[in-house]
Amino acid sequence: MKPLITTPKAEEDSVLYSPFTRETGMQVSSIGESTLITRIKEWLGLCNPASPMGIGDDCAVNPIQDPEAFHLTTIDGVGWGKHFDAHVPPEAVGRKLLGRNLSDIASMGGIPTVAVVALWLSPQSNLQWLERFYRGLAAMAGMHGVQVVGGDVSAAPENVFIADLCLQGYCRRPLLRRQVSPGDTLWVTGTLGGSALGKHHTFEPRMEEGQWLSESGWAKSMMDISDGLGKDLPALTGPAVVRIDPLPISEEAKQMATSSGLTAFHHAVNDGEDFELLFALDRSVDVPTFVKDWTNRFHTPITRIGIVENAPSESGFHWLDCEGKPFPKASGYEHF
Amino acid sequence: MKPLITTPKAEEDSVLYSPFTRETGMQVSSIGESTLITRIKEWLGLCNPASPMGIGDDCAVNPIQDPEAFHLTTIDGVGWGKHFDAHVPPEAVGRKLLGRNLSDIASMGGIPTVAVVALWLSPQSNLQWLERFYRGLAAMAGMHGVQVVGGDVSAAPENVFIADLCLQGYCRRPLLRRQVSPGDTLWVTGTLGGSALGKHHTFEPRMEEGQWLSESGWAKSMMDISDGLGKDLPALTGPAVVRIDPLPISEEAKQMATSSGLTAFHHAVNDGEDFELLFALDRSVDVPTFVKDWTNRFHTPITRIGIVENAPSESGFHWLDCEGKPFPKASGYEHF
């Protein structure tokens, strides 16, 4: 998502949600850290196990996973004015914080386990907003079997709300990037572009799809699309020449194109925050069998978006249209 | 540390260090995210293993530790104006970020393994400052066998620098809080108070001491002192009555008392950021043997700071002086 820095209206406006309040009795500074942590434990409910497995000691103490698996770690955050604005309900912000990280675990073919959350709160942070944020996070955690086992709370400057979440997991067969060869086909789940219209905070991370693509042995390389296909496809293939098929452009990308002055294709490859899976099948894969196997299991659409013509390529990454002509360069989402 | 929010002078003043610069060619926004991540990998050097063990995929993929151990996770951050100001060299900020988390692993008796770092950078963030920050972090990581295996970078509002670090580790015998009984003695390493004069960013986390206290079997309960003894002692003992011995008050606490209008004792129990170990020995421990065993191994001083008279206590936590009179209440460091 491009930064949507909005100035929230007064809290009385029921359509807008601000993490901050001028009402001192509702501010985080009115209760102090110990009480806040007690509240956070309540808000997290069942996804917060008793100490020392969960919140309450210097570290969370958890059993070691299956020693024949690989351990996975990822960290990703959300910030006010950057990843959400006053149009996003607080539950959806909590949901998105975990969802971004779940999508990373999914893209390795992994199973998520435990999370810790670092919060940076203005003294003016609104406790009601915060409760709804944590309840959204807890609901998402419960849905995916994640336990929130610890965290940290620090004071931030005025009008700053930042939350980082570190998620761990494990997998038996991690699906890495940069494993493609000529003839491999490239696929995406779902549709691309226009996530700023809502999908950026309502998306479902593709957990079962990712796990199945790893365990079944079908996929050979995978990542999630978070910065737009234009940036993430080169990250998956490395320096390669890829011939592109028609992309599954979302209705939202087409809708944004009616007013943005940009094409729907531009939105599909640059918008970011799709949180779809991008994966490669080996050239030896019998595609009809794969597609049948997929559709027997999932309603999620998949689309072949291209084929690797040359990899590794000495001249870097290039994509060509179906007639072999170079495609316009696409940078994806640039963070700075 | 109490928040020391200073306004840095111009960057030309060589004594002050600001994470931000007005010189556009030195700003993080001048190079973009991909180049920044490449630089971060260079700055981290040997403590950043090759992908997929380190930076470069959706998750870090690491082998599972000793399956007979417990897995430890902690997260802690540093923020500009809160945990450091323009008087702290950037290397020391990186060092402190990891050190805070190492101290948590030490206090469980654990061995640290891998870390991920989430950065929130203003577009005006100074690349030279950032390089020095990472080199300080890398030096500390190398010293303690920690690998920095991943991270995240997000754009922050102007004049915000926030970094969260999630550190993992393992231990065979985790030393938890709230394991004390009447007659147990309470001990601290080093001296307490006045860390704002420098120790808050120069401290050495007590890794070997913590591991030995766990593995040797001497200690039964442990934590690190990060919010001041006044807050952390009740966190260690839970509701208990504790009779206090003279505390090992630091020279810095005494120095601060000469100008703060507060007593050195007040500084010793409320300042926070001591990063010393606070631990309990069972009443059955032969104290002279323990002290001899300790001094054979470590130069770090230890002091008996009290004895548990009653635990659990129905009336909450109380501390008494050596004559049995109630001590002044101490809150430790309050974050909001």
Side-chain angles (χ1 to χ4, degrees), chain A residues 1-3 76 82-83 100 226-228 231-232 272-273 331-336, chain B residues 28-29 32-34 36-37 119 121-123 152-156:
Chain A
M1 181 174 62
K2 294 272 187 281
D76 221 335
K82 172 79 184 162
H83 301 92
R100 293 169 67 85
S226 55
D227 286 340
K231 190 167 173 181
D232 290 336
E273 299 214 319
S331 62
Y333 178 67
E334 180 51 59
H335 292 250
F336 293 103
Chain B
V28 71
S29 56
E33 188 198 11
S34 302
L36 175 61
I37 293 171
L119 276 191
L121 299 178
S122 301
D152 182 48
V153 183
S154 299

XYZ file of all heavy atoms in Angstrom, chain A residues 1-3 76 82-83 100 226-228 231-232 272-273 331-336, chain B residues 28-29 32-34 36-37 119 121-123 152-156:
270
model
N 0.851 -1.182 0.000
C 0.000 0.000 0.000
C 0.889 1.235 0.000
O 1.849 1.326 0.747
C -0.880 0.001 1.249
C -1.826 1.180 1.320
S -2.984 1.104 2.717
C -1.895 1.123 4.142
N 0.541 2.188 -0.802
C 1.192 3.496 -0.710
C 0.781 4.106 0.636
O -0.330 3.879 1.116
C 0.712 4.409 -1.842
C 1.131 3.955 -3.220
C 2.508 4.516 -3.601
C 2.880 4.215 -5.030
N 3.359 2.852 -5.227
N 1.679 4.844 1.265
C 1.312 5.440 2.553
C 0.037 6.280 2.418
O -0.065 7.098 1.512
C 2.512 6.340 2.878
C 3.624 5.823 2.049
C 3.017 5.206 0.824
N 7.802 -8.593 10.976
C 7.133 -7.612 10.118
C 6.235 -6.777 11.026
O 5.756 -7.265 12.041
C 6.289 -8.355 9.082
C 6.389 -7.724 7.705
O 6.678 -6.517 7.627
O 6.162 -8.437 6.721
N 1.100 4.477 7.744
C 1.921 3.781 6.751
C 1.198 2.506 6.282
O 1.000 2.296 5.099
C 3.273 3.443 7.392
C 4.157 2.552 6.564
C 4.856 3.322 5.474
C 5.669 2.370 4.593
N 6.013 2.967 3.307
N 0.839 1.662 7.222
C 0.167 0.397 6.882
C -1.320 0.427 7.162
O -2.036 -0.491 6.805
C 0.796 -0.763 7.654
C 2.246 -0.932 7.380
N 3.218 -0.323 8.139
C 2.907 -1.609 6.413
C 4.405 -0.638 7.649
N 4.251 -1.407 6.615
N 0.419 -10.509 7.853
C 1.633 -10.239 7.076
C 2.707 -11.276 7.374
O 3.402 -11.741 6.482
C 2.213 -8.873 7.449
C 1.399 -7.677 7.074
C 1.948 -6.416 7.745
N 3.255 -6.065 7.228
C 3.460 -5.339 6.131
N 2.430 -4.887 5.446
N 4.670 -5.068 5.719
N 4.331 -9.369 -1.652
C 3.992 -8.294 -0.714
C 4.353 -6.927 -1.276
O 3.757 -5.933 -0.906
C 4.666 -8.525 0.637
O 6.054 -8.678 0.472
N 5.336 -6.876 -2.187
C 5.753 -5.583 -2.745
C 5.321 -5.412 -4.200
O 5.768 -4.470 -4.858
C 7.275 -5.435 -2.658
C 7.743 -5.164 -1.234
O 6.914 -4.728 -0.407
O 8.927 -5.396 -0.942
N 4.456 -6.294 -4.697
C 4.036 -6.219 -6.099
C 4.852 -7.180 -6.953
O 6.054 -7.362 -6.740
N 8.336 -6.309 -8.407
C 9.528 -6.395 -7.558
C 9.748 -7.837 -7.081
O 10.885 -8.277 -6.908
C 9.323 -5.468 -6.352
C 10.544 -5.256 -5.490
C 10.275 -4.081 -4.557
C 11.348 -3.876 -3.525
N 10.987 -2.731 -2.663
N 8.644 -8.554 -6.853
C 8.766 -9.871 -6.238
C 9.097 -10.982 -7.243
O 9.751 -11.961 -6.879
C 7.485 -10.197 -5.456
C 7.348 -9.324 -4.197
O 8.385 -8.835 -3.705
O 6.225 -9.135 -3.710
N 1.460 -3.752 -4.535
C 1.943 -4.399 -3.314
C 0.808 -4.808 -2.393
O -0.371 -4.530 -2.663
N 1.182 -5.498 -1.323
C 0.239 -5.998 -0.302
C -0.844 -6.910 -0.887
O -1.984 -6.919 -0.423
C -0.368 -4.846 0.492
C 0.707 -4.055 1.228
C 0.289 -3.499 2.568
O -0.833 -3.004 2.683
O 1.101 -3.598 3.522
N 8.699 -1.548 -10.919
C 9.577 -1.521 -9.745
C 8.936 -2.152 -8.526
O 9.613 -2.463 -7.558
C 9.932 -0.070 -9.429
O 8.749 0.644 -9.121
N 7.604 -2.333 -8.580
C 6.932 -2.752 -7.365
C 6.892 -1.603 -6.373
O 7.196 -0.453 -6.713
N 6.542 -1.915 -5.135
C 6.386 -0.880 -4.120
C 7.742 -0.503 -3.532
O 8.491 -1.373 -3.077
C 5.446 -1.364 -3.010
C 5.305 -0.338 -1.927
C 4.667 0.861 -2.181
C 5.852 -0.547 -0.672
C 4.564 1.834 -1.212
C 5.756 0.420 0.312
C 5.112 1.604 0.026
O 5.030 2.567 0.997
N 8.057 0.766 -3.548
C 9.326 1.255 -2.992
C 9.053 1.866 -1.610
O 8.207 2.741 -1.473
C 9.929 2.292 -3.947
C 11.247 2.882 -3.477
C 12.279 1.828 -3.078
O 12.643 0.986 -3.934
O 12.687 1.824 -1.906
N 9.782 1.352 -0.596
C 9.455 1.737 0.781
C 9.885 3.143 1.165
O 9.377 3.691 2.132
C 10.053 0.726 1.757
C 9.396 -0.615 1.656
N 8.598 -1.126 2.630
C 9.390 -1.536 0.662
C 8.140 -2.312 2.277
N 8.617 -2.583 1.087
N 10.904 3.690 0.478
C 11.368 5.037 0.888
C 11.160 6.061 -0.232
O 11.298 5.743 -1.390
C 12.848 4.994 1.274
C 13.072 4.195 2.517
C 13.582 2.920 2.434
C 12.703 4.688 3.757
C 13.769 2.163 3.576
C 12.886 3.936 4.896
C 13.418 2.671 4.802
N 18.731 7.837 3.862
C 18.332 6.483 3.460
C 17.417 6.539 2.239
O 17.438 5.644 1.394
C 17.687 5.754 4.661
C 16.322 6.302 5.008
C 17.615 4.266 4.415
N 16.643 7.617 2.099
C 15.728 7.719 0.958
C 16.482 7.864 -0.360
O 15.901 7.669 -1.420
C 14.775 8.899 1.150
O 15.511 10.078 1.354
N 17.035 3.721 -1.570
C 15.974 2.732 -1.761
C 16.200 1.477 -0.933
O 17.296 1.221 -0.429
N 15.151 0.674 -0.828
C 15.146 -0.448 0.098
C 16.130 -1.566 -0.284
O 16.840 -2.095 0.562
C 13.722 -1.021 0.170
C 13.545 -2.062 1.250
C 12.306 -2.911 1.027
O 11.698 -2.834 -0.057
O 11.952 -3.674 1.931
N 16.157 -1.930 -1.567
C 17.001 -3.069 -1.971
C 18.468 -2.782 -1.679
O 19.179 -3.633 -1.123
C 16.827 -3.357 -3.461
O 15.491 -3.611 -3.743
N 19.591 -0.628 0.454
C 19.756 -0.552 1.909
C 19.974 -1.951 2.499
O 20.858 -2.154 3.343
C 18.523 0.110 2.548
C 18.514 0.147 4.074
C 19.702 0.951 4.614
C 17.211 0.733 4.604
N 19.179 -2.922 2.042
C 19.313 -4.282 2.584
C 20.670 -4.876 2.208
O 21.317 -5.543 3.031
C 18.133 -5.162 2.131
C 16.842 -4.639 2.779
C 18.358 -6.632 2.488
C 15.571 -5.266 2.253
N 13.372 -2.414 11.624
C 13.794 -1.003 11.665
C 12.688 -0.101 11.168
O 12.063 -0.377 10.148
C 14.958 -0.789 10.695
C 16.372 -1.079 11.102
C 17.296 -0.500 10.025
C 16.718 -0.477 12.442
N 12.530 3.698 9.920
C 13.458 4.765 9.552
C 12.734 5.931 8.914
O 11.991 5.752 7.949
C 14.468 4.230 8.531
C 15.371 3.080 8.966
C 16.250 2.665 7.798
C 16.219 3.476 10.160
N 12.995 7.139 9.411
C 12.598 8.353 8.701
C 13.309 8.386 7.357
O 14.443 7.912 7.249
C 13.066 9.599 9.450
O 12.548 9.634 10.728
N 12.678 8.998 6.356
C 13.392 9.196 5.084
C 14.705 9.950 5.283
O 15.639 9.796 4.517
C 12.406 10.013 4.244
C 11.064 9.752 4.844
C 11.299 9.514 6.301
N 13.275 -6.491 8.881
C 12.266 -5.772 8.137
C 12.622 -4.293 8.224
O 13.170 -3.843 9.227
C 10.883 -6.013 8.763
C 9.783 -5.319 7.991
O 9.746 -5.455 6.758
O 8.957 -4.634 8.616
N 12.344 -3.560 7.157
C 12.600 -2.119 7.141
C 11.327 -1.405 6.721
O 10.734 -1.753 5.701
C 13.731 -1.765 6.150
C 14.021 -0.283 6.201
C 14.979 -2.554 6.444
N 10.885 -0.427 7.501
C 9.692 0.348 7.160
C 9.987 1.828 7.285
O 10.862 2.242 8.054
C 8.533 0.008 8.105
O 8.191 -1.341 8.011
N 9.236 2.612 6.533
C 9.379 4.065 6.607
C 8.637 4.581 7.833
O 7.506 4.190 8.104
C 8.829 4.714 5.345
N 9.287 5.464 8.575
C 8.708 6.066 9.789
C 8.539 7.561 9.570
O 9.151 8.135 8.670
C 9.633 5.797 10.972
